[in-house]
Amino acid sequence: MNFNNLNQLYRSVIMDHYKNPRNKGVIEDGSMTVEMNNPTCGDEIQLTLNVEAGIIKDVKFQGEGCSISMSSASMMTEAIMNQPADRALEMAAEFSNMMLGEEYHITEEMGDIEALQGVSQFPARIKCATLTWKALEKGFKNS
């Protein structure tokens, strides 16, 4: 597959998550709620999780923002569902490395997340892509 086809595929995956977000909503009795925003772009996210015995049993997000931030949130919720909290935080670190153009290792369990790799070429958009991941880290840091 050539670079242009791969780019188009990634664009399609991003737009699919934006138009058909996975795990959008709120967990009413969630064990953790984190709100964050990106004032530069106007993105806002609320992440709710239900964590039992260190396992993320449910995760949902709601918010408003650009296609990058909302698709990243959708992809992240799919990736961390039913994962141990420490594994979800490892995924967040790998995603951050990918966004910073550093060496990273994306595993199959992380789903579509690698489709956002091209965002690393646009420094102004990195905060959009990492917003939900930073909310996840903040939630576990404060719990």
Side-chain angles (χ1 to χ4, degrees), residues 46-117:
Q46 179 187 42
L47 185 64
T48 55
L49 298 98
N50 190 4
V51 182
E52 297 174 18
I55 306 291
I56 299 168
K57 294 292 186 179
D58 198 7
V59 57
K60 296 201 181 303
F61 77 96
Q62 71 175 16
E64 294 182 13
C66 67
S67 61
I68 298 297
S69 67
M70 295 296 107
S71 61
S72 181
S74 175
M75 292 175 195
M76 185 200 80
T77 62
E78 283 193 319
I80 68 169
M81 187 78 74
N82 297 312
Q83 294 291 330
D86 58 347
R87 178 63 188 127
L89 292 171
E90 289 172 6
M91 289 179 186
E94 292 297 334
F95 185 74
S96 182
N97 288 345
M98 183 175 76
M99 287 296 103
L100 295 173
E102 298 173 0
E103 188 173 319
Y104 66 92
H105 181 68
I106 301 296
T107 61
E108 191 173 309
E109 70 186 341
M110 293 177 74
D112 293 334
I113 217 70
E114 200 163 20
L116 292 167
Q117 193 271 335

Side-chain angles (χ1 to χ4, degrees), residues 25-35 46-52 54-56 58-61 76 80 85 88-89 132-143:
V26 176
I27 303 169
E28 292 302 327
D29 296 324
S31 57
M32 182 187 307
T33 301
V34 185
E35 294 183 14
Q46 179 187 42
L47 185 64
T48 55
L49 298 98
N50 190 4
V51 182
E52 297 174 18
I55 306 291
I56 299 168
D58 198 7
V59 57
K60 296 201 181 303
F61 77 96
M76 185 200 80
I80 68 169
L89 292 171
T132 305
W133 294 90
K134 296 297 180 192
L136 176 72
E137 291 173 333
K138 179 182 174 183
F140 281 110
K141 181 180 176 185
N142 294 337
S143 65

